[in-house]
């Protein structure tokens, strides 16, 4: 799908919070080694342009969840970073994509009384008594 059309809500959120075009200047980085840290992530993308921040997402215990985000000074730097999709970092072939273009994974189902037996592929169980989630193609 076309990134900017699909992400109007994120763009509006960022603009309403005075964050300008931050939503255009970040990349999602997945399939990271649990040994990768923010400093090594920043170094990896240094040749793409000016990295303004790099962060690894952690669980409650402080352990890496295997993905993170890198923010750049410009949208052109993001285009350079996207080209690193599939490159190796710390022994893993990483996934690089626009930060806001990750699939949302179907919605969860609702209460059985309202007919919400489950969401799409990857969706949650939903509310009270919700189903396990369907399969969306």
């Amino acid at each position: 799908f076309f990134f900017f059309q699909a992400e109007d809500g994120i763009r509006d959120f960022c603009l309403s919070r005075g964050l300008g075009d931050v939503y255009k200047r970040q990349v999602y980085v997945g399939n990271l080694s649990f040994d990768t840290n923010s400093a090594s992530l920043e170094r990896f993308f240094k040749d793409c342009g000016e990295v303004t921040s790099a962060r690894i997402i952690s669980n409650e215990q402080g352990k890496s969840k295997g993905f993170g985000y890198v923010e750049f000074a410009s949208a052109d730097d993001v285009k350079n970073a996207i080209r690193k999709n599939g490159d190796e970092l710390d022994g893993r072939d990483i996934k690089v994509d626009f930060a806001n273009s990750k699939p949302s994974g179907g919605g969860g189902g609702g209460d059985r009384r309202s007919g919400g037996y489950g969401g799409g592929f990857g969706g949650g169980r939903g509310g009270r008594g919700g189903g396990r989630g369907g399969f969306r193609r």
Side-chain angles (χ1 to χ4, degrees):
F1 61 87
F2 189 66
F3 169 70
F4 298 108
Q5 286 179 342
E7 302 305 330
D8 284 342
I10 293 170
R11 182 192 68 218
D12 293 344
F13 174 82
C14 289
L15 294 175
S16 72
R17 303 287 191 285
L19 299 174
D21 66 348
V22 167
Y23 71 98
K24 292 183 190 176
R25 295 184 287 125
Q26 290 189 27
V27 293
Y28 161 89
V29 187
N31 199 38
L32 293 174
S33 165
F34 295 121
D35 296 327
T36 302
N37 59 38
S38 295
S40 62
L41 192 59
E42 183 174 345
R43 277 192 306 274
F44 182 79
F45 285 101
K46 194 174 187 178
D47 63 334
C48 296
E50 183 183 344
V51 175
T52 57
S53 73
R55 61 192 166 106
I56 304 291
I57 305 304
S58 303
N59 65 16
E60 296 81 22
Q61 291 79 32
K63 295 183 180 186
S64 170
K65 288 187 167 188
F67 70 95
Y69 297 92
V70 179
E71 183 179 329
F72 293 91
S74 77
D76 288 334
D77 298 341
V78 168
K79 292 176 188 173
N80 294 331
I82 295 294
R83 292 186 186 115
K84 288 191 167 241
N85 183 44
D87 286 2
E88 186 177 315
L89 172 62
D90 294 333
R92 305 285 301 262
D93 292 338
I94 62 168
K95 309 288 185 216
V96 183
D97 201 354
F98 292 102
N100 319 53
S101 67
K102 295 309 295 172
S104 61
D111 184 310
R112 283 181 193 238
R113 291 171 291 183
S114 64
Y117 276 94
F121 178 73
R125 289 182 63 90
R128 179 178 167 262
R132 293 191 47 89
F135 186 79
R136 184 179 66 193
R137 291 181 192 208

